[in-house]
Amino acid sequence: MIRGWYIGASGMNAQQNRLDTISNNLANVDTTGFKKDIPVSKEFSELLLRRTQADGIYKVPGGSCDAAPVIGSIGLGVETNEIYTDFQQGSFKNTDTKTDMALAGEGFFAVQTPAGERYTRNGNFHLGKEMILLTKEGYPVLGENGPIHVEDDKFFVNQDGMIYSKEDNALVDRIKVVRFENERYLKKQGSSLWNTNEIAGAPHIAEGDERPRFLQGYTETSNVNVVNEMVQMIEVNRAYEANQKTVQTEDSMMDTLWSKVATVNR
């Protein structure tokens, strides 16, 4: 019976993690370039139940055999295995703002932060006082030659990310877009930023077919589907209640065991 408490409690913990993830997805449904998280759960190994003390052992020359029949198996609970990011492409929103950009395809803008280079899909940029292209948080957007300096907001960006000034059509820089070996394992840092690690691999500049198309005057919306998230939230609530009832039932059975069965056998 005590095992039932742990099984029910593990299910409640797993559903709580799912609910926290769904809540975060819904909270960022209007965040530019946001990528939803998906929790993955795994079950503990099952325990094989056999009948014991029922004449289930018979002897043979040189040893004995267990003839106890298998009753069945019992699960030992579940746990959250990982929470990974779904990098599926979001839709595009027309802003008609020259400093806004969206990536059509896989890849990340590179930005310079006090903690080092970080990566984002949020192309909602603006010009700072020194005419440097910045993120909403004030981090410089990097070109392949460093922070991007432009004369005004009339610049033009082609589909390859080449920036040209409007006055003399001179090349300013090419926007740095990076890719990773295992993008699934990038870690969120907040403010729509990601950081790499040993599993995700070192960043490399996207070239050729790896390089996404640039859309100037557009931003990428989040890839969160509100309807799907709400449906999953209902499923989580029902699953949580089912596990909760399991714990309550186990508690009731234990109460009966101690208050009635133990009293009779005293």
Side-chain angles (χ1 to χ4, degrees):
M1 292 185 185
I2 294 178
R3 184 185 295 118
W5 284 340
Y6 289 106
I7 294 173
S10 70
M12 292 170 67
N13 284 332
Q15 297 306 323
Q16 182 63 57
N17 290 334
R18 285 188 63 194
L19 184 61
D20 292 342
T21 304
I22 292 171
S23 300
N24 184 63
N25 289 341
L26 290 173
N28 287 280
V29 67
D30 292 324
T31 301
T32 303
F34 179 81
K35 301 301 180 184
K36 67 180 180 180
D37 292 325
I38 300 177
V40 178
S41 300
K42 69 174 182 180
E43 64 177 354
F44 295 120
S45 300
E46 292 185 340
L47 179 66
L48 187 65
L49 302 180
R50 303 176 74 97
R51 191 177 68 189
T52 59
Q53 297 179 354
D55 298 327
I57 299 179
Y58 64 91
K59 293 184 178 181
V60 296
S64 62
C65 292
D66 184 5
V70 174
I71 298 175
S73 60
I74 182 173
L76 297 179
V78 66
E79 68 173 348
T80 301
N81 188 33
E82 67 169 327
I83 298 177
Y84 75 93
T85 303
D86 179 7
F87 287 104
Q88 183 180 0
Q89 179 81 58
S91 57
F92 299 113
K93 179 181 178 181
N94 187 0
T95 64
D96 288 328
T97 302
K98 293 292 186 179
T99 54
D100 285 342
M101 298 174 211
L103 298 178
E106 298 178 349
F108 298 85
F109 296 107
V111 300
Q112 188 65 48
T113 73
E117 189 172 291
R118 295 295 184 266
Y119 313 97
T120 184
R121 293 279 301 189
N122 188 344
N124 185 202
F125 304 138
H126 68 276
L127 288 179
K129 294 181 179 179
E130 299 178 356
M131 304 309 290
I132 299 176
L133 195 63
L134 305 174
T135 66
K136 290 179 64 177
E137 293 74 25
Y139 302 137
V141 181
L142 296 178
E144 296 183 359
N145 297 315
I148 300 172
H149 295 259
V150 291
E151 296 178 356
D152 50 42
D153 61 354
K154 308 299 181 183
F155 61 88
F156 169 73
V157 181
N158 68 11
Q159 292 189 352
D160 191 48
M162 308 286 283
I163 301 177
Y164 296 92
S165 61
K166 187 173 183 180
E167 286 189 6
D168 53 5
N169 203 31
L171 176 63
V172 176
D173 201 347
R174 188 169 82 148
I175 299 174
K176 183 178 180 180
V177 173
V178 299
R179 294 288 304 276
F180 301 86
E181 241 180 88
N182 298 301
E183 293 174 350
R184 170 176 171 172
Y185 298 102
L186 292 173
K187 296 298 181 183
K188 287 186 176 181
Q189 301 285 292
S191 301
S192 299
L193 299 178
W194 279 275
N195 191 17
T196 188
N197 50 52
E198 292 182 1
I199 304 176
H204 61 272
I205 296 178
E207 298 287 0
D209 294 337
E210 270 196 329
R211 193 168 179 85
R213 289 189 303 111
F214 285 75
L215 301 177
Q216 186 179 17
Y218 290 82
T219 56
E220 181 186 5
T221 63
S222 72
N223 64 352
V224 177
N225 185 308
V226 177
V227 175
N228 289 344
E229 297 297 317
M230 293 300 295
V231 170
Q232 289 184 42
M233 183 175 286
I234 295 172
E235 293 176 354
V236 167
N237 287 329
R238 290 178 177 174
Y240 188 93
E241 290 176 0
N243 283 284
Q244 188 178 38
K245 289 179 180 179
T246 299
V247 174
Q248 292 173 344
T249 302
E250 291 288 339
D251 184 64
S252 177
M253 292 171 63
M254 185 63 74
D255 180 65
T256 301
L257 174 65
W258 289 111
S259 62
K260 296 183 179 180
V261 178
T263 303
V264 171
N265 294 333
R266 183 180 301 174

Coordinates of all heavy atoms in Angstrom, one line a residue, residues 142-215:
L142 N 25.1 41.3 -33.8 CA 26.4 41.1 -34.5 C 26.3 40.8 -36.0 O 25.4 40.0 -36.4 CB 27.1 40.0 -33.8 CG 27.5 40.2 -32.3 CD1 28.2 38.9 -31.8 CD2 28.4 41.4 -32.1
G143 N 27.1 41.5 -36.7 CA 27.4 41.1 -38.1 C 28.6 40.3 -38.1 O 29.2 40.0 -37.1
E144 N 29.1 39.9 -39.3 CA 30.3 39.1 -39.4 C 31.5 39.9 -39.1 O 32.6 39.3 -39.0 CB 30.3 38.4 -40.7 CG 29.1 37.4 -40.9 CD 29.2 36.6 -42.2 OE1 30.1 36.9 -43.0 OE2 28.3 35.8 -42.5
N145 N 31.4 41.2 -39.0 CA 32.6 42.0 -38.7 C 32.4 42.7 -37.3 O 33.1 43.7 -37.0 CB 32.8 43.1 -39.8 CG 33.1 42.5 -41.1 OD1 33.9 41.6 -41.2 ND2 32.4 42.9 -42.2
G146 N 31.4 42.3 -36.5 CA 31.2 42.9 -35.2 C 29.9 43.5 -35.2 O 29.0 43.3 -36.0
P147 N 29.6 44.4 -34.2 CA 28.3 45.1 -34.0 C 28.0 45.9 -35.3 O 28.9 46.4 -36.0 CB 28.6 46.1 -32.9 CG 29.6 45.4 -32.0 CD 30.5 44.7 -33.0
I148 N 26.8 46.0 -35.7 CA 26.3 46.6 -36.9 C 26.0 48.1 -36.8 O 25.2 48.5 -36.0 CB 25.1 45.8 -37.4 CG1 25.4 44.3 -37.7 CG2 24.6 46.5 -38.7 CD1 24.2 43.5 -38.0
H149 N 26.8 48.9 -37.5 CA 26.6 50.3 -37.5 C 26.0 50.7 -38.8 O 26.4 50.3 -39.9 CB 28.0 51.1 -37.3 CG 28.7 50.8 -36.0 ND1 28.7 51.7 -35.0 CD2 29.4 49.8 -35.6 CE1 29.4 51.3 -34.0 NE2 29.9 50.1 -34.4
V150 N 24.9 51.5 -38.7 CA 24.2 52.0 -39.9 C 24.0 53.5 -39.7 O 24.1 54.1 -38.6 CB 22.9 51.3 -40.1 CG1 23.1 49.9 -40.5 CG2 22.0 51.4 -38.9
E151 N 23.8 54.2 -40.8 CA 23.7 55.7 -40.8 C 22.3 56.1 -40.3 O 22.1 57.1 -39.7 CB 24.0 56.3 -42.2 CG 25.4 56.0 -42.6 CD 25.7 56.6 -44.0 OE1 24.7 57.1 -44.6 OE2 26.9 56.6 -44.5
D152 N 21.3 55.3 -40.8 CA 19.9 55.6 -40.4 C 19.1 54.3 -40.5 O 19.6 53.3 -40.8 CB 19.3 56.8 -41.2 CG 19.5 56.5 -42.7 OD1 19.3 55.4 -43.1 OD2 19.9 57.5 -43.4
D153 N 17.8 54.4 -40.3 CA 16.9 53.3 -40.4 C 16.4 53.0 -41.8 O 15.4 52.3 -42.0 CB 15.8 53.4 -39.4 CG 14.9 54.6 -39.7 OD1 15.2 55.4 -40.6 OD2 13.8 54.7 -39.0
K154 N 17.1 53.6 -42.8 CA 16.6 53.4 -44.2 C 17.4 52.3 -44.9 O 17.3 52.2 -46.1 CB 16.8 54.8 -45.0 CG 16.1 56.0 -44.3 CD 14.6 55.8 -44.2 CE 14.0 57.0 -43.5 NZ 12.5 56.8 -43.3
F155 N 18.2 51.6 -44.2 CA 19.0 50.6 -44.8 C 18.1 49.4 -45.4 O 17.0 49.3 -45.1 CB 20.0 50.0 -43.8 CG 19.4 49.3 -42.6 CD1 19.0 48.0 -42.6 CD2 19.1 50.1 -41.4 CE1 18.5 47.4 -41.5 CE2 18.6 49.5 -40.3 CZ 18.2 48.1 -40.4
F156 N 18.8 48.6 -46.3 CA 18.1 47.5 -46.9 C 18.8 46.2 -46.6 O 20.0 46.2 -46.6 CB 18.1 47.8 -48.5 CG 17.6 46.6 -49.3 CD1 16.3 46.2 -49.3 CD2 18.5 45.9 -50.0 CE1 15.9 45.1 -50.0 CE2 18.1 44.7 -50.7 CZ 16.8 44.4 -50.7
V157 N 18.0 45.2 -46.4 CA 18.6 43.9 -46.1 C 18.0 42.9 -47.1 O 16.8 42.8 -47.3 CB 18.2 43.4 -44.7 CG1 18.8 42.0 -44.4 CG2 18.7 44.4 -43.6
N158 N 19.0 42.2 -47.8 CA 18.5 41.2 -48.8 C 18.2 39.9 -48.2 O 18.4 39.7 -46.9 CB 19.5 41.1 -50.0 CG 20.8 40.5 -49.6 OD1 21.0 40.0 -48.5 ND2 21.8 40.6 -50.5
Q159 N 17.8 38.9 -48.9 CA 17.5 37.6 -48.4 C 18.6 36.8 -47.8 O 18.4 35.9 -47.0 CB 16.8 36.8 -49.4 CG 15.4 37.3 -49.9 CD 14.7 36.3 -50.8 OE1 15.2 35.3 -51.2 NE2 13.4 36.6 -51.0
D160 N 19.9 37.2 -48.1 CA 21.0 36.6 -47.6 C 21.5 37.3 -46.3 O 22.5 36.8 -45.7 CB 22.1 36.5 -48.6 CG 23.3 35.6 -48.2 OD1 23.0 34.5 -47.8 OD2 24.5 36.0 -48.3
G161 N 20.9 38.4 -45.9 CA 21.3 39.1 -44.7 C 22.4 40.1 -45.0 O 23.0 40.7 -44.0
M162 N 22.6 40.5 -46.2 CA 23.5 41.6 -46.6 C 22.8 42.9 -46.3 O 21.8 43.1 -46.8 CB 24.0 41.4 -48.0 CG 24.5 40.1 -48.4 SD 26.1 39.7 -47.7 CE 27.2 40.7 -48.8
I163 N 23.5 43.8 -45.6 CA 22.9 45.1 -45.3 C 23.6 46.2 -46.2 O 24.8 46.3 -46.3 CB 23.2 45.5 -43.8 CG1 22.6 44.4 -42.9 CG2 22.6 46.8 -43.5 CD1 22.9 44.7 -41.4
Y164 N 22.7 46.9 -46.8 CA 23.2 48.0 -47.7 C 22.6 49.3 -47.3 O 21.4 49.4 -46.9 CB 22.7 47.7 -49.2 CG 23.3 46.5 -49.8 CD1 22.6 45.3 -49.7 CD2 24.5 46.5 -50.5 CE1 23.1 44.1 -50.2 CE2 25.0 45.3 -51.0 CZ 24.4 44.1 -50.9 OH 24.9 43.0 -51.4
S165 N 23.4 50.4 -47.3 CA 22.9 51.7 -47.0 C 22.1 52.2 -48.2 O 22.3 51.9 -49.3 CB 24.0 52.7 -46.7 OG 24.9 52.8 -47.9
K166 N 21.0 53.0 -47.9 CA 20.1 53.4 -48.9 C 20.7 54.6 -49.8 O 20.5 54.6 -51.0 CB 18.8 53.9 -48.3 CG 17.7 54.2 -49.4 CD 16.4 54.5 -48.7 CE 15.4 54.8 -49.8 NZ 14.0 55.1 -49.3
E167 N 21.6 55.4 -49.2 CA 22.1 56.6 -49.9 C 23.0 56.2 -51.1 O 22.7 56.5 -52.3 CB 22.9 57.5 -49.0 CG 22.0 58.2 -48.0 CD 22.8 59.3 -47.3 OE1 24.0 59.5 -47.6 OE2 22.2 59.9 -46.4
D168 N 24.0 55.4 -50.8 CA 25.0 55.0 -51.9 C 25.0 53.5 -52.2 O 25.8 53.1 -53.0 CB 26.4 55.5 -51.6 CG 26.8 55.0 -50.2 OD1 26.0 54.2 -49.6 OD2 27.9 55.4 -49.7
N169 N 24.0 52.8 -51.6 CA 23.9 51.4 -51.9 C 25.2 50.6 -51.5 O 25.5 49.6 -52.1 CB 23.5 51.1 -53.3 CG 22.8 49.7 -53.5 OD1 22.2 49.3 -52.6 ND2 23.0 49.1 -54.7
A170 N 25.9 51.1 -50.5 CA 27.2 50.5 -50.1 C 26.9 49.4 -49.1 O 26.0 49.5 -48.3 CB 28.1 51.5 -49.5
L171 N 27.7 48.3 -49.2 CA 27.6 47.2 -48.3 C 28.1 47.6 -46.9 O 29.2 48.0 -46.8 CB 28.4 46.0 -48.9 CG 28.4 44.7 -48.0 CD1 27.0 44.2 -47.8 CD2 29.3 43.7 -48.5
V172 N 27.2 47.4 -45.9 CA 27.6 47.7 -44.6 C 28.2 46.5 -43.9 O 29.3 46.6 -43.3 CB 26.4 48.2 -43.8 CG1 26.7 48.5 -42.3 CG2 25.8 49.5 -44.4
D173 N 27.5 45.4 -43.9 CA 28.0 44.2 -43.3 C 27.0 43.1 -43.6 O 25.9 43.3 -44.3 CB 28.0 44.3 -41.7 CG 28.9 43.3 -41.1 OD1 29.3 42.3 -41.7 OD2 29.3 43.5 -39.9
R174 N 27.3 41.8 -43.3 CA 26.3 40.8 -43.4 C 26.0 40.3 -42.0 O 26.9 40.0 -41.2 CB 26.9 39.6 -44.2 CG 25.9 38.5 -44.5 CD 26.3 37.5 -45.5 NE 27.2 36.5 -44.9 CZ 27.2 35.2 -45.3 NH1 26.5 34.8 -46.3 NH2 28.0 34.3 -44.7
I175 N 24.7 40.1 -41.7 CA 24.2 39.7 -40.4 C 24.7 38.3 -40.1 O 24.6 37.4 -40.9 CB 22.7 39.8 -40.3 CG1 22.2 41.2 -40.6 CG2 22.2 39.3 -38.9 CD1 20.7 41.3 -40.7
K176 N 25.3 38.2 -38.9 CA 25.8 36.9 -38.5 C 24.7 36.0 -38.0 O 23.9 36.3 -37.1 CB 26.8 37.1 -37.3 CG 27.5 35.8 -36.8 CD 28.5 36.1 -35.7 CE 29.2 34.9 -35.2 NZ 30.1 35.1 -34.1
V177 N 24.5 34.9 -38.7 CA 23.5 33.9 -38.3 C 24.3 32.6 -38.1 O 25.1 32.2 -39.0 CB 22.5 33.7 -39.4 CG1 21.5 32.5 -39.1 CG2 21.6 35.0 -39.6
V178 N 24.0 31.9 -37.0 CA 24.8 30.7 -36.6 C 23.9 29.5 -36.5 O 22.6 29.6 -36.4 CB 25.5 30.9 -35.3 CG1 26.5 32.1 -35.4 CG2 24.5 31.2 -34.1
R179 N 24.5 28.4 -36.7 CA 23.8 27.1 -36.5 C 24.6 26.2 -35.5 O 25.8 26.5 -35.2 CB 23.7 26.4 -37.9 CG 22.8 27.0 -38.9 CD 21.3 26.9 -38.5 NE 20.9 25.5 -38.4 CZ 20.6 24.7 -39.4 NH1 20.6 25.2 -40.6 NH2 20.2 23.5 -39.1
F180 N 24.0 25.1 -35.1 CA 24.6 24.3 -34.1 C 24.4 22.8 -34.5 O 23.5 22.5 -35.3 CB 24.1 24.5 -32.7 CG 24.2 25.9 -32.2 CD1 23.3 26.8 -32.5 CD2 25.3 26.2 -31.4 CE1 23.4 28.1 -32.0 CE2 25.4 27.5 -30.9 CZ 24.5 28.5 -31.2
E181 N 25.3 22.0 -34.0 CA 25.2 20.5 -34.3 C 24.0 19.9 -33.8 O 23.2 19.2 -34.5 CB 26.4 19.8 -33.8 CG 27.3 19.1 -34.8 CD 28.5 18.4 -34.2 OE1 28.3 17.2 -33.8 OE2 29.5 19.0 -34.1
N182 N 23.7 20.2 -32.5 CA 22.5 19.7 -31.9 C 21.7 20.8 -31.2 O 21.8 21.1 -30.0 CB 22.8 18.6 -30.8 CG 23.6 17.5 -31.4 OD1 23.0 16.8 -32.2 ND2 24.8 17.2 -30.9
E183 N 20.9 21.5 -32.1 CA 20.2 22.7 -31.6 C 19.2 22.4 -30.5 O 18.8 23.3 -29.7 CB 19.5 23.4 -32.8 CG 20.5 24.0 -33.7 CD 19.9 24.6 -35.0 OE1 18.7 24.4 -35.2 OE2 20.6 25.2 -35.8
R184 N 18.7 21.2 -30.4 CA 17.7 20.8 -29.5 C 18.2 21.0 -28.0 O 17.4 21.2 -27.1 CB 17.3 19.3 -29.7 CG 16.5 18.7 -28.5 CD 16.1 17.3 -28.8 NE 15.5 16.7 -27.7 CZ 14.8 15.6 -27.7 NH1 14.7 14.9 -28.8 NH2 14.3 15.1 -26.5
Y185 N 19.5 20.9 -27.8 CA 20.1 21.0 -26.5 C 20.6 22.4 -26.1 O 21.2 22.5 -25.0 CB 21.3 20.0 -26.4 CG 20.8 18.6 -26.6 CD1 21.0 17.9 -27.8 CD2 20.1 17.9 -25.6 CE1 20.6 16.6 -28.0 CE2 19.7 16.6 -25.8 CZ 19.9 15.9 -27.0 OH 19.5 14.7 -27.2
L186 N 20.2 23.4 -26.9 CA 20.5 24.8 -26.4 C 19.7 25.1 -25.2 O 18.6 24.6 -25.0 CB 20.2 25.7 -27.6 CG 21.0 25.7 -28.8 CD1 20.4 26.6 -29.9 CD2 22.4 26.1 -28.5
K187 N 20.3 25.9 -24.3 CA 19.6 26.3 -23.1 C 19.1 27.7 -23.1 O 19.8 28.6 -23.5 CB 20.6 26.2 -21.9 CG 21.1 24.7 -21.7 CD 20.0 23.8 -21.3 CE 20.5 22.4 -21.1 NZ 19.4 21.4 -20.8
K188 N 17.8 27.9 -22.7 CA 17.2 29.2 -22.6 C 17.9 30.0 -21.5 O 18.1 29.5 -20.4 CB 15.7 29.1 -22.4 CG 15.0 28.6 -23.6 CD 13.5 28.7 -23.4 CE 12.7 28.3 -24.7 NZ 11.3 28.3 -24.5
Q189 N 18.1 31.3 -21.8 CA 18.8 32.2 -20.8 C 17.8 33.3 -20.4 O 18.2 34.1 -19.6 CB 20.0 32.8 -21.4 CG 21.1 31.8 -21.9 CD 21.8 31.2 -20.7 OE1 22.6 31.9 -20.1 NE2 21.6 29.9 -20.5
G190 N 16.6 33.3 -20.9 CA 15.7 34.4 -20.6 C 15.9 35.5 -21.6 O 16.9 35.6 -22.3
S191 N 14.9 36.4 -21.7 CA 14.9 37.5 -22.7 C 15.0 37.0 -24.1 O 15.7 37.6 -24.9 CB 16.0 38.5 -22.4 OG 15.8 39.0 -21.1
S192 N 14.5 35.9 -24.4 CA 14.5 35.3 -25.8 C 15.9 34.9 -26.2 O 16.2 34.8 -27.4 CB 13.9 36.2 -26.8 OG 12.5 36.5 -26.5
L193 N 16.8 34.7 -25.3 CA 18.2 34.3 -25.6 C 18.5 32.8 -25.3 O 17.9 32.3 -24.4 CB 19.2 35.2 -24.8 CG 19.1 36.7 -25.0 CD1 20.1 37.4 -24.1 CD2 19.4 37.0 -26.5
W194 N 19.4 32.3 -26.1 CA 19.8 30.9 -25.9 C 21.4 30.9 -25.7 O 22.0 31.8 -26.3 CB 19.5 30.0 -27.1 CG 18.1 29.5 -27.1 CD1 17.6 28.3 -26.4 CD2 17.0 30.0 -27.8 NE1 16.3 28.2 -26.7 CE2 15.9 29.1 -27.5 CE3 16.8 31.1 -28.6 CZ2 14.6 29.4 -28.1 CZ3 15.6 31.3 -29.2 CH2 14.5 30.5 -28.9
N195 N 21.8 29.9 -25.0 CA 23.3 29.7 -24.9 C 23.6 28.3 -25.3 O 22.8 27.4 -25.1 CB 23.7 30.0 -23.5 CG 25.2 30.1 -23.3 OD1 26.0 30.2 -24.3 ND2 25.7 30.0 -22.1
T196 N 24.8 28.1 -25.8 CA 25.2 26.7 -26.2 C 25.9 26.0 -25.0 O 26.2 26.6 -24.0 CB 26.1 26.8 -27.4 OG1 26.3 25.4 -27.9 CG2 27.4 27.4 -27.1
N197 N 26.2 24.7 -25.2 CA 26.9 23.9 -24.3 C 27.7 22.8 -25.0 O 27.6 22.8 -26.3 CB 26.0 23.3 -23.2 CG 24.8 22.6 -23.9 OD1 24.9 21.8 -24.8 ND2 23.6 23.0 -23.5
E198 N 28.3 21.9 -24.3 CA 29.1 20.9 -25.0 C 28.2 20.0 -25.8 O 28.7 19.5 -26.9 CB 29.8 20.0 -23.9 CG 30.9 20.8 -23.2 CD 31.7 19.9 -22.2 OE1 31.3 18.7 -22.1 OE2 32.6 20.4 -21.5
I199 N 27.0 19.7 -25.4 CA 26.1 18.8 -26.2 C 25.6 19.4 -27.4 O 25.6 18.8 -28.5 CB 24.9 18.3 -25.3 CG1 25.4 17.7 -24.0 CG2 24.0 17.4 -26.1 CD1 24.3 17.3 -23.1
A200 N 25.2 20.7 -27.3 CA 24.7 21.4 -28.5 C 25.8 21.7 -29.5 O 25.6 21.7 -30.7 CB 24.1 22.7 -28.1
G201 N 27.0 21.9 -29.0 CA 28.2 22.1 -29.9 C 28.5 23.6 -30.1 O 27.7 24.4 -29.7
A202 N 29.6 23.8 -30.7 CA 30.1 25.2 -30.9 C 29.3 25.8 -32.1 O 28.9 25.1 -33.0 CB 31.6 25.3 -31.2
P203 N 29.0 27.1 -32.1 CA 28.3 27.8 -33.2 C 29.2 27.9 -34.4 O 30.4 28.1 -34.3 CB 27.9 29.1 -32.6 CG 29.0 29.4 -31.6 CD 29.3 28.1 -31.0
H204 N 28.6 27.8 -35.5 CA 29.3 28.1 -36.8 C 28.4 28.9 -37.7 O 27.1 28.8 -37.6 CB 29.7 26.8 -37.5 CG 28.5 25.9 -37.9 ND1 28.0 25.0 -37.1 CD2 27.8 25.8 -39.1 CE1 27.0 24.3 -37.7 NE2 26.8 24.9 -38.9
I205 N 29.0 29.8 -38.5 CA 28.2 30.7 -39.3 C 27.5 29.9 -40.4 O 28.1 29.0 -41.1 CB 29.1 31.7 -40.0 CG1 29.7 32.6 -38.9 CG2 28.4 32.6 -41.0 CD1 30.7 33.7 -39.4
A206 N 26.2 30.1 -40.6 CA 25.4 29.4 -41.5 C 25.7 29.9 -42.9 O 25.7 31.1 -43.2 CB 23.9 29.6 -41.2
E207 N 26.0 28.9 -43.8 CA 26.3 29.2 -45.2 C 25.5 28.3 -46.1 O 25.1 27.2 -45.7 CB 27.8 29.0 -45.5 CG 28.7 29.9 -44.7 CD 28.7 31.4 -45.2 OE1 28.0 31.7 -46.1 OE2 29.4 32.2 -44.6
G208 N 25.4 28.7 -47.3 CA 24.7 27.9 -48.4 C 23.3 27.5 -48.0 O 22.5 28.3 -47.5
D209 N 23.0 26.2 -48.1 CA 21.6 25.7 -47.8 C 21.3 25.8 -46.3 O 20.1 25.8 -46.0 CB 21.5 24.2 -48.3 CG 21.6 24.1 -49.8 OD1 21.3 25.1 -50.5 OD2 21.9 23.0 -50.3
E210 N 22.3 25.9 -45.5 CA 22.1 26.0 -44.0 C 21.6 27.4 -43.7 O 20.9 27.5 -42.6 CB 23.4 25.7 -43.3 CG 23.6 24.3 -42.9 CD 24.7 24.2 -41.8 OE1 25.6 25.0 -41.7 OE2 24.6 23.3 -41.0
R211 N 21.8 28.4 -44.5 CA 21.5 29.7 -44.1 C 20.0 30.0 -44.4 O 19.5 29.8 -45.5 CB 22.4 30.7 -44.9 CG 22.3 32.1 -44.4 CD 23.4 33.0 -45.0 NE 23.4 34.4 -44.6 CZ 24.0 34.8 -43.5 NH1 24.6 33.9 -42.7 NH2 23.9 36.1 -43.1
P212 N 19.3 30.6 -43.4 CA 17.9 30.9 -43.7 C 17.7 32.2 -44.5 O 18.7 32.9 -44.7 CB 17.4 31.1 -42.2 CG 18.5 31.6 -41.5 CD 19.7 30.9 -42.1
R213 N 16.5 32.4 -45.0 CA 16.2 33.6 -45.7 C 15.8 34.7 -44.7 O 15.2 34.5 -43.7 CB 15.0 33.4 -46.7 CG 15.3 32.6 -47.9 CD 14.2 32.6 -48.9 NE 12.9 32.2 -48.3 CZ 11.9 32.9 -48.0 NH1 11.9 34.2 -48.4 NH2 10.8 32.4 -47.5
F214 N 16.2 36.0 -45.0 CA 15.9 37.1 -44.2 C 14.7 37.8 -44.8 O 14.6 38.1 -46.0 CB 17.1 38.1 -44.2 CG 18.3 37.6 -43.3 CD1 19.1 36.6 -43.8 CD2 18.5 38.2 -42.1 CE1 20.2 36.2 -43.0 CE2 19.5 37.8 -41.3 CZ 20.4 36.8 -41.7
L215 N 13.8 38.2 -43.8 CA 12.6 39.0 -44.2 C 12.7 40.3 -43.4 O 12.4 40.3 -42.2 CB 11.3 38.2 -43.9 CG 11.2 36.8 -44.6 CD1 9.9 36.1 -44.1 CD2 11.2 37.0 -46.1

